[in-house]
Amino acid sequence: MVVGSVRRARAVLTVRMVVLSLGAAVMALPFVYMLSTSFKPDSLVLQLPPQFIPHHATTANYTGAWSSSSFGHYFFNSLVVAVATTVLAVLLSAMMAYAFARFRFPGRTVLFGLLLLGLMVPTMMLLIPQFLLAKKLLLLNNLLGLIVFYTGGALALNTFLLRGFFQSIPFELEEAMLVDGAGPWRRFWRLILPLSRPALATVSIFTFLGSWDEFVWALTIINDPNKRTLPMAIALFQGQHATSWGLVFAASAIAVGPVIAIFIAFQRQFVSGITAGALKA
């Protein structure tokens, strides 16, 4: 019986590993093809069957993409917008999550329910109201308009995840600080935030990724070429170089580089943070 159970467990584990490996390969294939094509000269981009390891690799596509159409300036614009959005959204959502997790006030449940209800509204339905609001606030054709609305759009999900993590922190730790006369702000800054690094890393990655890759809202309110962000630049770049797929894929590889670097740097915190937030929410 024991031997049979062990064999079945090993068989199930093997099947799971095979399925997961195949899934990972399927998910990674487009990225590998993009990376491979970005190192190919134009004459070898569309060859069949495709070569995932180019025999005549070149970095000319990367130098050409970076120097074409103010691509470096657009990269800097996206970096400013993504970093500012991440800092503001994480800070504000952490404050909101702490209030929902620790304080008791009238309408607390209703407000949190409305916050979750906002997650169910498709972003495309908000495009026209947001545009009219941005026009009233004089935020059209301005990077500040991107930062403000990206921050507002990230608050609901970030608050939901951080609230679950904050509730998992024992209240006895705060009671010890209460004895020493610590107020809510001091407990929030000195205790809650340092203990919530995994959750903060999780929402930071989500926020950075969302603001870095966003295209529709940026295309809606930005008309000045000097204010364009990276997704807009890649779209225009593809239109200008319809047959130069090596340049297009090189630009896409440059754009995805910071996101991959941030995820690798905070991978452990990301996994533990998303798990804790999902379990306690």
Side-chain angles (χ1 to χ4, degrees), residues 82-200:
V83 171
T85 300
T86 301
V87 172
L88 287 175
V90 172
L91 181 61
L92 293 176
S93 59
M95 294 178 183
M96 293 172 58
Y98 182 66
F100 281 119
R102 287 292 190 257
F103 300 143
R104 300 292 184 268
F105 51 88
R108 170 174 169 268
T109 304
V110 175
L111 288 176
F112 189 71
L114 292 175
L115 189 71
L116 297 182
L117 186 63
L119 293 173
M120 306 177 188
V121 180
T123 55
M124 295 302 296
M125 292 183 61
L126 303 176
L127 194 61
I128 295 178
Q130 286 181 348
F131 179 83
L132 297 177
L133 180 59
K135 184 178 180 180
K136 292 286 186 180
L137 298 177
L138 303 179
L139 294 177
L140 296 180
N141 210 30
N142 194 329
L143 293 182
L144 183 60
L146 299 180
I147 296 172
V148 169
F149 284 91
Y150 289 167
T151 301
L155 288 179
L157 178 61
N158 291 359
T159 302
F160 171 73
L161 294 174
L162 289 176
R163 173 181 174 268
F165 194 92
F166 291 169
Q167 287 179 333
S168 67
I169 298 176
F171 186 70
E172 289 76 12
L173 297 176
E174 290 191 60
E175 289 180 339
M177 296 188 68
L178 278 171
V179 174
D180 296 333
W185 278 107
R186 185 178 176 185
R187 300 197 305 269
F188 176 72
W189 288 106
R190 298 291 183 86
L191 177 66
I192 299 298
L193 290 187
L195 292 177
S196 304
R197 291 178 182 175
L200 294 176

Side-chain angles (χ1 to χ4, degrees), residues 7-22:
R7 289 179 177 176
R8 283 194 298 269
R10 290 180 178 177
V12 171
L13 180 60
T14 301
V15 172
R16 288 179 179 177
M17 293 299 297
V18 170
V19 172
L20 291 176
S21 299
L22 291 176

Side-chain angles (χ1 to χ4, degrees), residues 19-32:
V19 172
L20 291 176
S21 299
L22 291 176
V26 171
M27 296 295 293
L29 186 61
F31 177 78
V32 173

Side-chain angles (χ1 to χ4, degrees), residues 32-47:
V32 173
Y33 180 76
M34 177 192 72
L35 196 62
S36 172
T37 305
S38 66
F39 287 101
K40 295 178 181 179
D42 289 340
S43 59
L44 300 178
V45 168
L46 300 178
Q47 67 176 353

Side-chain angles (χ1 to χ4, degrees), residues 257-268:
V259 177
I260 295 177
I262 290 176
F263 180 79
I264 292 176
F266 298 100
Q267 182 177 8
R268 290 186 178 180

